[in-house]
Amino acid sequence: MPRILFSDHDFPDIGLELELFRRHGIDVEVAQCRSEGDVIRAAQGCCGILLQYAPITEQVVNALPGVGIVSRIGAGFDTIDTAACQRQGVWVANSPDYGVGEVATHALGLALAVTRNIVAYHRDITAAGKWHYLSSGRLRRPRELTLGIVGLGRIGKRTAQVSRDVYKRVVAYDPYLIDGDFPVFVERASSLEALAREADVVSLHTPLTAETRGMIGERFFAALKPGSYLVNTARGAVVDVDACLRALDAGILAGAGLDVLPSEPVAAGSALASHPRVVLTPHAAFYSQEAERELRQKAARNLATWIATGRPDYVVVQGTRKPAA
Ligand code: NAD
């Protein structure tokens, strides 16, 4: 019977995965791996790994010649060394399309929370007993604002769609798309700095790559108009958090709505957590009951499909390793 490692998860129970693997005649080793060593030890005798956040580094890939596939429960795959997998012929799969609407509406929700002072008003009322429309400062008319989207892929495009009736204009920066991939109502920004100069509200939707790590830093904030807003539902490390805090304190940013941080959960005593103009959510943009079920089913099914056919449903890296006959 083929055996796979379920390397780590933060779900209250994993009945869904265990039932899916049982139906496909797959044996499961369940662990909570945090380190490379944990993964290497737990994956002995396994042909595949289902992971949430466990590190699949070059060392892990090299140490596990029997593993032919790793499947990430999620769209992003930045905890996986995809180049090492490619070199060793290990398939990498993910679950890319389960929560596009959830993340897009969450991004809009965070944008509205900061541009309409929703959380600040609530805090003023409940913590300070203030009941006044000016308690948290002056607001601008949404229909006068421009939304700037960085990364116009699945989620970026949906964010543009759900936001288009809220804002005056939607502009986007995505150097990897041809003009024809831009919806007609989205204007193209020629560079990240050009987007920064146009946008009042910037929403990030790129993957975390060597190129995007720290991309929203000093240079970007220097190009922003004072009083702008930043929303990040992509990956925390796309934003240089120290530069973001300086931009908040300098008034370049009037507010920031962050669902993701470079290191999660937020550190105790973090300046972000106590900042009056920052709204945090706990990497929850993907979440609805329906999306979670779809996400977990698709990620687990990648392993079952690969074991049955030699190819997973959602391919990130095309491997060469084959399931045992
Ligand atoms: P996608 O691959 O469909 O789209 C990403 C887009 O970013 C692509 O169009 C690509 O061309 C563009 N891009 C890449 N590098 C860029 C750069 N340097 N500058 C500008 N654009 C660039 O991905 P997606 O499914 O839309 O996911 C977007 C992000 O959302 C990912 O980081 C993913 O990990 C994250 N995500 C977060 C949550 C959450 O719960 N917060 C849930 C799902 C996805």
Side-chain angles (χ1 to χ4, degrees):
M1 189 186 264
R3 185 175 179 77
I4 65 106
L5 169 68
F6 192 170
S7 65
D8 64 301
H9 69 87
D10 64 4
F11 309 126
D13 75 82
I14 54 166
L16 183 155
E17 288 82 358
L18 295 182
E19 172 54 20
L20 188 146
F21 290 131
R22 190 196 59 73
R23 276 204 320 275
H24 288 86
I26 298 168
D27 200 15
V28 187
E29 169 77 25
V30 180
Q32 286 294 9
C33 302
R34 294 284 171 260
S35 66
E36 295 168 309
D38 292 347
V39 180
I40 293 169
R41 273 188 297 279
Q44 296 301 319
C46 295
C47 65
I49 300 176
L50 177 64
L51 70 128
Q52 198 173 14
Y53 302 112
I56 308 295
T57 60
E58 176 154 35
Q59 197 194 339
V60 171
V61 174
N62 291 345
L64 296 170
V67 168
I69 180 168
V70 296
S71 177
R72 164 101 223 287
I73 307 172
F77 40 84
D78 38 88
T79 63
I80 302 172
D81 185 335
T82 49
C85 290
Q86 183 103 56
R87 278 194 295 278
Q88 295 294 341
V90 176
W91 292 82
V92 178
N94 69 342
S95 180
D97 55 1
Y98 63 92
V100 174
E102 280 80 358
V103 183
T105 45
H106 198 90
L108 177 59
L110 283 173
L112 294 175
V114 289
T115 56
R116 298 297 310 158
N117 275 349
I118 306 285
V119 176
Y121 279 138
H122 179 78
R123 209 170 27 225
D124 289 346
I125 295 165
T126 55
K130 290 189 207 163
W131 182 277
H132 196 278
Y133 72 94
L134 286 175
S135 67
S136 280
R138 297 183 184 278
L139 299 179
R140 292 179 60 202
R141 174 178 282 179
R143 209 57 186 164
E144 297 296 326
L145 303 179
T146 295
L147 172 66
I149 291 186
V150 183
L152 197 61
R154 279 177 292 259
I155 296 170
K157 275 200 187 77
R158 187 72 73 86
T159 304
Q161 274 157 7
V162 299
S163 307
R164 66 183 294 199
D165 289 336
V166 174
Y167 300 106
K168 182 170 75 175
R169 292 165 64 215
V170 181
V171 299
Y173 169 65
D174 191 323
Y176 298 104
L177 295 190
I178 57 168
D179 287 348
D181 286 335
F182 274 60
V184 284
F185 65 90
V186 179
E187 297 167 44
R188 180 166 209 144
S190 58
S191 66
L192 190 59
E193 284 70 30
L195 177 129
R197 286 193 294 273
E198 293 286 316
D200 301 288
V201 181
V202 176
S203 190
L204 306 178
H205 300 287
T206 64
L208 177 61
T209 62
E211 185 192 17
T212 62
R213 185 177 289 276
M215 179 169 82
I216 304 301
E218 285 307 345
R219 224 174 110 193
F220 176 82
F221 292 119
L224 266 186
K225 287 181 276 190
S228 298
Y229 298 87
L230 177 69
V231 170
N232 189 8
T233 57
R235 281 291 178 267
V238 174
V239 176
D240 173 342
V241 167
D242 292 335
C244 177
L245 282 165
R246 283 193 292 275
L248 281 159
D249 292 338
I252 292 166
L253 280 181
L258 308 174
D259 182 55
V260 286
L261 298 174
S263 168
E264 296 172 7
V266 67
S270 154
L272 284 174
S274 56
H275 202 289
R277 285 181 286 114
V278 174
V279 173
L280 298 178
T281 52
H283 201 144
F286 75 95
Y287 179 67
S288 70
Q289 292 178 68
E290 294 84 352
E292 184 189 312
R293 165 162 285 274
E294 196 178 320
L295 157 74
R296 292 170 57 182
Q297 261 168 353
K298 285 180 168 172
R301 213 179 285 138
N302 276 322
L303 291 159
T305 309
W306 176 78
I307 287 168
T309 70
R311 186 185 175 85
D313 302 310
Y314 294 94
V315 178
V316 174
V317 169
Q318 174 137 6
T320 52
R321 292 190 186 175
K322 293 183 173 44

